[in-house]
Amino acid sequence: MAAGRPLRCAPPVLRRGHATVAAASKLVHKISGEELEVEIANRDRTLIVDFYANWCGPCLLLATELEKVAETLGDKVKVLKVDVDANPELASSLKIEGLPTIVFIPQENGKPALRTEGLLPAQQIMDIVAEISAPAVQA
C-alpha cells in the first residue's frame, strides 16, 4: 500500500466463459518477494509478473488469460504471480496501487521492463511479450 493508500482494483473487463481459477498452476508459479528477486537475477527468458490479490475480481479473470499465455508461449516466458497482501512491503516499494498490475521483464539485461495495470486479454499479453523480446534496432 503506497504511502498508506489502499490498493484499488481496476474495473473488470467482462467476457463470457471465463471462470475463476486458482492462484497458480504448473504453468503459472506463485512466488514471494524474495523469490522474485532470485527469478529476476537468474532469468533465462522473459518474465511476466502478475501482482494480484485474491479479493480482486479482475485478478481472478487475468489468471485465466495468463494460463492461456503460458500454454501458448511455453518455454519462451515464465509466468509468475505475487500476492500483494502477502508481500505488502514489495507492493509498496514498487508502487503497486492498482490491481492487477503486470510487469514484463525482458530476458536481456539492460532492456527496460514494461508495466501495465488492469485486465488484459491473452493475445495482448502475447503481443507485448513479442514486442519486448524483439532484438533492439541499432540506429
Side-chain angles (χ1 to χ4, degrees), residues 15-17 28 61 83 103 108 110 123 126:
R15 294 188 173 86
R16 287 186 182 195
V28 178
L61 293 172
D83 183 343
V103 178
E108 184 181 326
Q123 186 58 55
M126 290 186 282

Side-chain angles (χ1 to χ4, degrees), residues 1-2 7 51 84 90-92 94-99 101 115:
M1 301 349 130
L7 290 170
F51 291 89
V84 296
L90 177 62
S92 179
L94 294 177
K95 298 183 181 358
I96 305 292
E97 296 179 356
L99 298 176
T101 292
R115 178 175 165 151

Side-chain angles (χ1 to χ4, degrees), residues 63-132:
T64 302
E65 299 302 306
L66 291 173
E67 286 287 334
K68 291 177 189 175
V69 170
E71 287 173 13
T72 302
L73 296 181
D75 289 338
K76 293 179 184 174
V77 297
K78 189 167 193 178
V79 181
L80 307 170
K81 295 180 73 67
V82 177
D83 183 343
V84 296
D85 289 332
N87 298 277
E89 299 83 18
L90 177 62
S92 179
S93 69
L94 294 177
K95 298 183 181 358
I96 305 292
E97 296 179 356
L99 298 176
T101 292
I102 306 171
V103 178
F104 298 86
I105 304 170
Q107 176 183 348
E108 184 181 326
N109 280 330
K111 276 186 125 178
L114 178 74
R115 178 175 165 151
T116 67
E117 186 177 295
L119 178 62
L120 297 177
Q123 186 58 55
Q124 190 172 1
I125 294 169
M126 290 186 282
D127 291 346
I128 291 169
V129 168
E131 184 178 317
I132 68 168

Side-chain angles (χ1 to χ4, degrees), residues 10-27:
V13 176
L14 299 177
R15 294 188 173 86
R16 287 186 182 195
H18 288 278
T20 59
V21 297
S25 71
K26 287 191 242 179
L27 300 173

Side-chain angles (χ1 to χ4, degrees), residues 6-60:
L7 290 170
R8 60 184 166 73
C9 197
V13 176
L14 299 177
R15 294 188 173 86
R16 287 186 182 195
H18 288 278
T20 59
V21 297
S25 71
K26 287 191 242 179
L27 300 173
V28 178
H29 310 279
K30 183 177 177 184
I31 62 170
S32 68
E34 294 79 24
E35 291 168 315
L36 178 60
E37 289 183 33
V38 172
E39 290 285 352
I40 292 171
N42 299 325
R43 70 187 180 277
D44 59 355
R45 55 193 141 169
T46 297
L47 301 180
I48 300 172
V49 185
D50 171 28
F51 291 89
Y52 76 100
N54 290 323
W55 48 262
C56 170
C59 297
L60 297 174

